Amino acid sequence: MVKAKDERTRNWTFVVYPESAPENWREIIDDLHVPWVESPLHDRDVNPDGELKKPHWHVIIMFSSNKSYSQIREITMKLRSPNPQKVANAKGMVRYFAHMDNPEKYQYKKTDIIAHAGAEITSYLSVTSAERYELINEMMEFIDSQGIVEMKSLLDYARHERFDDWFPLLCDNSAYIMDSYIKSNRHRKIDK
């Protein structure tokens, strides 16, 4: 006997269009009391022919148990949204909200991604190893070009000007290498 494939899953995604969604669409989802994530308004996406797509938000809703397509479709019908789709990878979907892994597309701000109802997305938005090395390289070039000799100067700049990428990197795991680089620059200047 062949077992039927389970078509249910915990994470679902769908699109919400400002032109057709009810004004209280966020409250409709909030009333479910489940974690969900809202993309920035995608108002700069283009079709292959170069024409602007209709403005829209992407949503991922994350349940603690599996839900069927029909259960999720009930929700999207209230939002006047197209058919929902299963999410194969929540991290990849959240990163798509800012086009982080699609440099050919318009780059939306990670800080404009909104987590609702306790959705935890920080780890989803963290940089990859390759991105981390590139950002460290950028910081080193900045230190050299600006003649920075104190870690405070780099941290202040990152906090005010590069809050999305440099600042979390410095706070989480790259402060030691950057401080060592700055100290070596400071000592080199003293030696000269």
Side-chain angles (χ1 to χ4, degrees), residues 170-187:
L170 288 166
C171 290
D172 294 344
N173 60 23
S174 299
Y176 177 79
I177 186 66
M178 298 316 301
D179 190 45
S180 296
Y181 189 75
I182 289 169
K183 283 179 184 174
S184 68
N185 273 352
R186 182 172 55 240
H187 294 299

Side-chain angles (χ1 to χ4, degrees), residues 95 100 110 125-129 131-132 135 164-165 169:
R95 291 174 64 85
M100 290 174 65
K110 293 188 292 186
L125 299 175
S126 62
V127 297
T128 64
S129 293
E131 291 167 330
R132 179 175 174 256
L135 291 170
D164 286 352
D165 52 5
L169 202 60

